[in-house]
Amino acid sequence: EGTIPRDAREVEGQSEDRSSGFLSSPTCVMNARDNLRTTSEFGRRRSFRTTNGARASSQHQGMDIAGKPGAPIVAAAAGCMKVRDMRMNRRAGWGISLVLDHGNGLTTQYSHMNNFTKEIREFIRRAKRNEVYCVKRGEQIGFIGQTGNCTGPHLHFGVKENGKNVDPRKYLRAQTNGDFSKQCSVLQAEAAELSVLDSMAQEYA
């Protein structure tokens, strides 16, 4: 979607510290030499053509995090999904995509994936329409790809609050490209420490 790499710290109005936010980074790296970067923020942007000829909306309903194809995508908080909340058409708009429900009206969207994890693919294969699959904060759910309407490998990360799209940075703890590029082992250790947040969300869901 986004085409001009831009560090989150350079985005106007995004300088305030949100390190106490509810959502952890939705990405991490297996190799310390790899890195991920934000390429398009929430809100107005220049419209453009994607590689499949479709026109991207000038109102971006999330943020894009670009990186090497196959880089891990992880749950930004503990949550659950249903088969009806997953998209498996590699050519359609969002490509391979899913939505996680975190309770209290908060959901997160993960789109343009190369694929889901083996465990989620197995769930899709056998699940009934309303069966629920739940994941922990920091648990891998997929891999960065370029399915659907996009210009290169990245994760489109969206957040909805009571059904309305909101700026993901309202809830994200991650602020810089370095935060999105933490090694997965580090992110998982942080996720274990933040499990109390998930317990609170589930308690009042």
Side-chain angles (χ1 to χ4, degrees), residues 22 78-79 100-107 159-164 170-171 196-205:
F22 175 66
L100 280 178
D101 188 338
H102 306 288
N104 291 333
L106 191 71
T107 62
V159 176
K160 284 189 177 182
E161 188 180 70
N162 298 317
K164 181 180 179 180
K170 177 179 179 180
Y171 288 100
V196 63
L197 294 180
D198 298 313
S199 298
M200 291 170 61
Q202 292 169 3
E203 180 179 354
Y204 298 107

Side-chain angles (χ1 to χ4, degrees), residues 5-72:
R6 182 173 60 181
D7 191 289
R9 291 170 295 186
E10 300 173 0
V11 180
E12 183 179 354
Q14 300 295 345
S15 59
E16 56 265 42
D17 179 18
R18 295 195 181 91
S19 59
S20 61
F22 175 66
L23 299 175
S24 300
S25 171
T27 57
C28 59
V29 298
M30 300 300 293
N31 189 322
R33 292 173 295 180
D34 294 336
N35 63 81
L36 299 144
R37 67 190 188 281
T38 57
T39 56
S40 183
E41 296 286 334
F42 179 89
R44 298 285 299 177
R45 66 177 179 183
R46 174 175 52 85
S47 183
F48 54 89
R49 293 283 182 185
T50 60
T51 51
N52 64 3
R55 179 164 291 279
S57 171
S58 60
Q59 181 65 33
H60 195 211
Q61 301 292 358
M63 66 186 300
D64 292 342
I65 305 169
K68 181 186 292 187

Side-chain angles (χ1 to χ4, degrees), residues 80-96:
C80 299
M81 66 190 98
K82 296 179 180 179
V83 172
R84 67 186 184 193
D85 297 322
M86 303 176 186
R87 301 291 180 267
M88 291 154 277
N89 188 331
R90 302 183 72 88
R91 296 181 179 275
W94 290 122
I96 295 179

Side-chain angles (χ1 to χ4, degrees), residues 129-145:
R129 180 172 176 79
N130 290 317
E131 191 173 348
V132 173
Y133 185 95
C134 298
V135 292
K136 297 178 181 179
R137 178 187 295 265
E139 183 175 340
Q140 187 170 355
I141 56 177
F143 307 86
I144 282 183

